[in-house]
Amino acid sequence: IASSASSQSAVRTSNKHQQQPNRRKSDKRADMMLSRAGRRAFASDAPLLKTMLYDMHLEKGGKMVPFAGYELPVQYEGVGVLKEHMHCRAPGKASVFDVGHMGQIKWTGKDRAAFLEKCVVGDIAGLADGEGRLSLLTNAEGGILDDTVITNAGDYIYMVVNGACKVTDMAYMNEKLAENSGMDVQMNYFGDDATLVALQGDGAKTALHPLLPDGFDMERFAFMTGVDTTVGGYACRVTRCGYTGEDGFEIGVSNPADSVAVAELLFANPNVEPCGLGARDSLRLEAGLCLYGNDLDDTVTPIEGTLLWTIGPKGTRRRVEQGFPGAANCLTEAGAPKKFSRKRVGFMGHAKPARPGAAIFDAAGEKQVGVVTSGTVSPILGAPIAMGFVETALGKNDTELTVDIRGKKIPTKVAKMPFVEPNYWRVPE
């Protein structure tokens, strides 16, 4: 799930997008990062599920790996993580990601918005028709149980949760339903075979537009909005959002039997290529977006995760009224953020890639002050980037630190995120 929509710039840094560091090393690094995250967050003895596009992945040379309880492609034969990453960033190109492992939920009933505000931090009641936003499911201590995109779809609310969390998310929300049995609200899970396809990149709008109904106004279709429509004549839910820092769309196919047909229509465009989990991970990290299970978990509050903006700006209803689980641990009575000992930041300047779990030390290399939660080599920048937590007092940009990489203290600095300029769509004024 895209974890930051607060900075939406249409500036394209196409000259940077043409840089291509050594392919073999970058592929290995991104693949290593993904596999470690997968072992940590998604290990399970349960039989793996297959999305509706599984056979298509095999036909296209997908290297299948376990992820969030499903078999999904990490990369494609003859292409690899680096080329897949660079294709998604290239002007005029677009990439297709199978994100069918994620959970799609439909909320109905007149109290649906009020109920969800008892589960998540954001202003759901204030969403305009078609408007969506990132929000956070929190526990009684204010810890983040999951990040989720929630959209007002008119007569229902459309919610997308992370694949690795969807079972526990729904169990948690069922508990909340039981606690609030007097409310008129129903949760409808689309099922494990529901298809969700992400079309990402500068060329996404050009590839999708001809498949939408005649007269569809792509230029006025704003980022973080969604609509029930058709793609190539097939009923779909299309949301302009994503997890790469690029313009793009998430396409929920209403009938699972139509999934392959919709994907084939996208691939019929010569500028559209498949993209696996390895590149999805490096793309989201360049964009400064969190991976739940790595950068966020149930011990991290929205304040520590630098996600206060998901609750709302100072003085807004949710900051003042609060009412979400753990609000008292996150905000003062006046709605100001409480002080915490750590915060999520970016890192750059280390000469070697820092992996999740690497210890962060002060500039002298004497005292541990944090930990890396995500790290790779940025294909666009040709340099290592990382995300993690440090003591709050050391969280300002350009603060000098060191990171322990294979027993050596390597200098690094706190860096502004996103690392690569985002290209989210802005409706022309």
Side-chain angles (χ1 to χ4, degrees):
I1 294 175
S3 296
S4 175
S6 58
S7 173
Q8 300 171 12
S9 168
V11 178
R12 177 156 293 280
T13 53
S14 58
N15 59 323
K16 291 182 181 178
H17 292 189
Q18 305 308 310
Q19 298 179 23
Q20 297 214 12
N22 182 277
R23 176 179 181 271
R24 182 176 297 175
K25 289 183 178 179
S26 293
D27 276 9
K28 184 178 179 181
R29 288 166 179 165
D31 199 19
M32 283 173 60
M33 179 179 174
L34 177 85
S35 63
R36 291 182 185 185
R39 284 197 301 270
R40 224 175 19 254
F42 309 117
S44 172
D45 293 330
L48 293 173
L49 300 171
K50 293 180 173 65
T51 72
M52 298 301 290
L53 303 181
Y54 177 84
D55 290 337
M56 176 177 281
H57 296 312
L58 295 182
E59 291 169 5
K60 291 183 177 295
K63 177 185 175 183
M64 311 305 283
V65 298
F67 189 85
Y70 287 74
E71 288 190 73
L72 290 169
V74 65
Q75 60 182 318
Y76 290 84
E77 186 177 352
V79 186
V81 173
L82 178 64
K83 285 186 177 180
E84 290 172 23
H85 181 115
M86 298 303 291
H87 179 88
C88 188
R89 291 270 188 252
K93 305 296 184 181
S95 299
V96 169
F97 302 79
D98 182 357
V99 289
H101 62 292
M102 298 176 75
Q104 300 178 71
I105 300 169
K106 179 178 182 178
W107 294 92
T108 54
K110 65 180 178 63
D111 297 324
R112 58 189 180 274
F115 171 76
L116 282 172
E117 289 191 353
K118 295 180 179 293
C119 303
V120 304
V121 302
D123 181 358
I124 308 306
L127 288 172
D129 193 6
E131 182 185 7
R133 64 171 43 113
L134 180 87
S135 197
L136 307 170
L137 276 163
T138 51
N139 60 26
E141 291 73 43
I144 299 170
L145 297 173
D146 200 4
D147 55 310
T148 173
V149 174
I150 298 175
T151 307
N152 176 8
D155 59 356
Y156 69 97
I157 289 175
Y158 177 61
M159 182 182 199
V160 178
V161 298
N162 280 303
C165 305
K166 63 185 180 183
V167 173
T168 53
D169 286 351
M170 288 188 288
Y172 178 71
M173 291 185 290
N174 270 321
E175 291 176 5
K176 292 293 184 183
L177 285 169
E179 293 171 8
N180 296 276
S181 57
M183 300 184 80
D184 178 16
V185 57
Q186 298 83 40
M187 178 174 66
N188 305 282
Y189 173 51
F190 284 23
D192 290 341
D193 61 349
T195 294
L196 189 64
V197 173
L199 178 67
Q200 298 285 296
D202 179 60
K205 56 186 177 294
T206 307
L208 181 61
H209 199 187
L211 303 176
L212 297 172
D214 291 343
F216 190 97
D217 192 347
M218 181 64 78
E219 190 173 70
R220 309 303 299 178
F221 189 20
F223 187 71
M224 293 303 288
T225 64
V227 63
D228 287 309
T229 184
T230 58
V231 175
Y234 299 100
C236 293
R237 175 81 194 172
V238 178
T239 307
R240 196 163 201 164
C241 66
Y243 193 50
T244 62
E246 298 294 324
D247 185 22
F249 309 88
E250 291 187 354
I251 303 166
V253 184
S254 300
N255 182 357
D258 297 336
S259 303
V260 172
V262 171
E264 286 177 341
L265 287 170
L266 298 176
F267 285 124
N269 186 303
N271 291 314
V272 175
E273 298 289 346
C275 198
L277 293 167
R280 187 170 185 254
D281 199 46
S282 54
L283 287 160
R284 69 90 190 168
L285 185 52
E286 284 186 341
L289 305 178
C290 299
L291 172 63
Y292 193 87
N294 273 39
D295 312 303
L296 302 175
D297 60 33
D298 61 6
T299 70
V300 178
T301 68
I303 316 304
E304 293 171 302
T306 60
L307 294 169
L308 175 64
W309 62 270
T310 62
I311 304 174
K314 181 180 180 181
T316 53
R317 183 175 66 86
R318 292 293 268 168
R319 288 279 291 272
V320 176
E321 294 180 5
Q322 303 178 29
F324 59 88
N329 194 40
C330 299
L331 302 171
T332 66
E333 289 187 7
K338 288 191 173 181
K339 294 182 179 180
F340 286 86
S341 61
R342 60 176 179 169
K343 66 178 293 189
R344 181 176 63 90
V345 299
F347 304 100
M348 278 195 74
H350 39 289
K352 298 180 179 179
R355 300 302 178 196
I360 298 289
F361 288 80
D362 59 16
E366 297 173 353
K367 177 189 175 186
Q368 183 172 351
V369 296
V371 65
V372 172
T373 54
S374 289
T376 192
V377 175
S378 162
I380 295 300
L381 303 177
I385 57 174
M387 184 189 299
F389 287 84
V390 294
E391 294 178 3
T392 302
L394 299 173
K396 294 181 180 179
N397 289 338
D398 297 322
T399 299
E400 294 184 353
L401 300 167
T402 56
V403 56
D404 188 330
I405 300 176
R406 295 184 179 180
K408 294 183 178 180
K409 304 292 174 56
I410 307 296
T412 189
K413 287 185 178 181
V414 176
K416 181 181 178 181
M417 294 187 289
F419 300 103
V420 172
E421 190 73 21
N423 296 298
Y424 303 123
W425 179 251
R426 277 186 172 179
V427 174
E429 296 182 0

